[in-house]
Amino acid sequence: MENRFGPAARLYCLWAALAIGVSIAQAGLAVESVTRLLVVGFLLLQFVMRPMLVRALPSCAPKWRFVLIGMLLAALVEGFHMISMPVFGALRIGGETGIAGALRNYALDLAFTLPGYLAIFSTIWFFVNRYRYALWDYIVTAGFAQAIGDGGLFFFWNAPGMLLFLPYPMSNYHAINVLPFLAVREHLPADAPRRASRYLIVPAVIVTYLACGATIRLVGRYFGFEAG
């Protein structure tokens, strides 16, 4: 894929718009649809404000700029999911949840998820710092890896027809992993190889998600939380 907004990029954006639009049209304004609209709106806001946002954390080394920006964005997107699918069902924020309870639940969600995002973005950094990715190559590959790793592997295995809607969950990860890449892109090794082995990022990210998910469930069970 080219860095410019070429035919492949336009085709993917059309696919994403159709997948998200059809899903929301079928579901109506359910909490999951509201979450998706917030995620898409957040992604569009990043696009508009990217000249300013890519300059965030200028004093940090490239690795930590990448990881920390990713974690900050992930924390915000986790907030959007608090009304639909937090890390544990007991932390879901509804109309009856007061402000103090909502803040408590959000803080607990981040306490469980942010260490996982530290591991995930460190894994992604390992690859982007060693291989050369064109922009849209990275956008689709990293988004796919995270979507499949974060529960998609089992979901799509049981419902392969739903792969037609793959950009729907991928939008979550575009909203957290594109801006970090843009922020450090000029600081990545110029002579990095563009080998097929760069796609090992996919199984590596999936394995990282599986390990983090298992750890979160184990620790959560210790504190009385059940997944769901």
Side-chain angles (χ1 to χ4, degrees):
M1 292 185 183
E2 299 294 333
N3 290 350
R4 60 185 175 83
F5 195 67
R10 288 196 291 269
L11 182 61
Y12 175 74
C13 289
L14 176 61
W15 180 22
L18 288 172
I20 294 170
V22 169
S23 298
I24 292 176
Q26 289 183 335
L29 280 181
V31 289
E32 171 57 32
S33 298
V34 173
T35 295
R36 188 60 40 201
L37 290 171
L38 289 171
V39 169
V40 172
F42 183 51
L43 181 57
L44 293 175
L45 180 64
Q46 290 179 45
F47 177 77
V48 172
M49 299 183 65
R50 72 189 184 283
M52 178 183 68
L53 295 176
V54 295
R55 297 196 298 270
L57 305 178
S59 61
C60 292
K63 174 183 177 178
W64 289 109
R65 283 190 75 202
F66 181 86
V67 171
L68 291 175
I69 292 173
M71 290 177 67
L72 287 170
L73 296 176
L76 291 171
V77 171
E78 280 292 317
F80 301 152
H81 283 272
M82 292 303 298
I83 62 172
S84 55
M85 191 178 292
V87 64
F88 299 113
L91 299 179
R92 188 173 291 112
I93 295 174
E96 72 287 351
T97 310
I99 294 177
L103 292 174
R104 169 189 170 275
N105 289 0
Y106 182 41
L108 285 170
D109 186 282
L110 294 182
F112 281 100
T113 57
L114 284 184
Y117 281 116
L118 173 61
I120 290 158
F121 280 104
S122 296
T123 300
I124 296 174
W125 169 260
F126 177 87
F127 286 90
V128 300
N129 191 48
R130 282 161 178 76
Y131 298 101
R132 182 165 58 89
Y133 294 85
L135 177 58
W136 280 93
D137 187 12
Y138 169 81
I139 288 174
V140 175
T141 303
F144 173 79
Q146 288 195 261
I148 296 300
D150 194 10
L153 180 64
F154 303 108
F155 176 80
F156 291 116
W157 180 269
N158 292 318
M162 294 302 292
L163 285 168
L164 289 171
F165 296 90
L166 181 59
Y168 182 96
M170 285 175 64
S171 63
N172 276 325
Y173 309 102
H174 298 328
I176 66 175
N177 67 27
V178 175
L179 190 64
F181 182 76
L182 294 175
V184 302
R185 195 176 175 201
E186 299 302 320
H187 302 283
L188 297 174
D191 58 348
R194 194 166 185 264
R195 298 173 183 158
S197 52
R198 71 187 185 277
Y199 293 117
L200 288 174
I201 190 175
V202 174
V205 168
I206 291 173
V207 169
T208 304
Y209 264 101
L210 292 174
C212 291
T215 302
I216 288 171
R217 286 192 296 272
L218 182 64
V219 175
R221 192 173 297 118
Y222 177 82
F223 286 102
F225 293 107
E226 293 294 334

